Amino acid sequence: MKAFRPILFLAIVLMIVGLACSAVGGGGNAPSQPVATQEPAQQPVSNPPTTAPEPTTAPTAEVVLPTDTESAPAARDFYKEEFESEYVPDNWQTFTLGKGKDDNLVIKQEDDHLLFDLGDKDLYVYYMYKPYTYENVSVRLNAQNRGRNNNNVSLVCRMNEDGSKWYEFSVESGGVWYLYAVDNGYNRIGNGGVNSLRQGKEENTYRMDCVNDEITLYVNDKKLTTVKDSKYFFNKGYVGFNISSLNVLPITVEANWFEIAQP
């Protein structure tokens, strides 16, 4: 048994040398493979921000600011309203009377006047200046007819706060005037003809002076009369004007200016 130990030792040495050579040669005759590289793990994506970041450059669009940054002018007691683009409609109140409906009523500022297109028959449109009330006052209206020659243009003084009583000077386009004390209806306290009225699609100026118990009426600077009220005695209130339709359409009137003055 001892005689076989050198041979066994030699066999073991040859086996070790063979294994070492196999490892260095890459495993016999098999083709070499590229070494795989591991992709890095992806990081989780966070949610987008809820607000946009501040811009890093100025916007390219032009921003146009108004050149007139002043607030609307304060209401004045005695002045001439010319109904141009800067007039303040909030200073005025509109209401209607009559049997007509105001569904198609149009009141709008255009160019240098206020346009009234009534849109129905028998409709009385009042336009009242509400910042102040007046005792003795002179009011004038310059208006031009643009529709049918069948309407009324009126001036109002001393309308009380609840709009139930006032004096009204009304001129028909046909050349007749009326003065009413409105109190539970239109109570006529004077009327007559107007020779100074320009009829048709013309421009006219109407004036009404309310002083104490007397009311003086003018058309185109021509005095019609002075009426003394010995019954109703309305002594203070709002002023304004009225455009009324009768029995034909269209009724379209331009209010060019309205003046409130001391008599």
Side-chain angles (χ1 to χ4, degrees), residues 74-133:
R76 293 168 288 173
D77 50 359
F78 297 103
Y79 82 113
K80 186 177 184 179
E81 177 59 75
E82 296 185 293
F83 300 114
E84 295 179 339
S85 57
E86 66 272 14
Y87 106 101
V88 183
D90 288 345
N91 290 337
W92 299 80
Q93 183 179 40
T94 304
F95 69 92
T96 61
L97 296 175
K99 298 178 181 179
K101 297 182 179 179
D102 59 7
D103 297 348
N104 296 317
L105 170 64
V106 175
I107 303 174
K108 66 178 180 179
Q109 191 281 330
E110 62 176 30
D111 299 329
D112 58 351
H113 60 266
L114 200 63
L115 176 69
F116 289 78
D117 188 348
L118 272 59
D120 201 2
K121 302 174 185 178
D122 194 35
L123 184 65
Y124 317 147
V125 181
Y126 289 83
Y127 206 67
M128 305 300 300
Y129 186 67
K130 297 308 293 285
Y132 292 93
T133 57

Side-chain angles (χ1 to χ4, degrees), residues 151-250:
N151 59 61
N152 280 24
V153 176
S154 303
L155 291 170
V156 174
C157 74
R158 296 181 182 171
M159 177 180 285
N160 64 349
E161 291 188 356
D162 62 5
S164 61
K165 299 178 182 181
W166 65 88
Y167 292 116
E168 180 171 337
F169 167 43
S170 182
V171 180
E172 285 187 2
S173 55
V176 179
W177 67 266
Y178 301 89
L179 180 63
Y180 299 105
V182 180
D183 183 8
N184 293 319
Y186 288 78
N187 305 289
R188 186 189 306 174
I189 58 177
N191 75 285
V194 187
N195 294 327
S196 57
L197 182 71
R198 292 186 283 269
Q199 300 184 26
K201 294 184 179 182
E202 297 288 344
E203 181 179 313
N204 290 281
T205 300
Y206 310 85
R207 174 179 166 185
M208 179 186 196
D209 293 353
C210 302
V211 181
N212 300 324
D213 60 351
E214 294 184 343
I215 302 171
T216 304
L217 312 175
Y218 303 80
V219 172
N220 294 323
D221 297 325
K222 301 294 183 180
K223 181 179 176 180
L224 302 180
T225 190
T226 296
V227 177
K228 186 178 182 68
D229 175 25
S230 58
K231 180 178 179 179
Y232 297 95
F233 304 110
F234 305 149
N235 58 11
K236 185 178 181 179
Y238 300 112
V239 298
F241 61 94
N242 163 301
I243 307 295
S244 297
S245 62
L246 300 176
N247 55 6
V248 299
L249 293 176

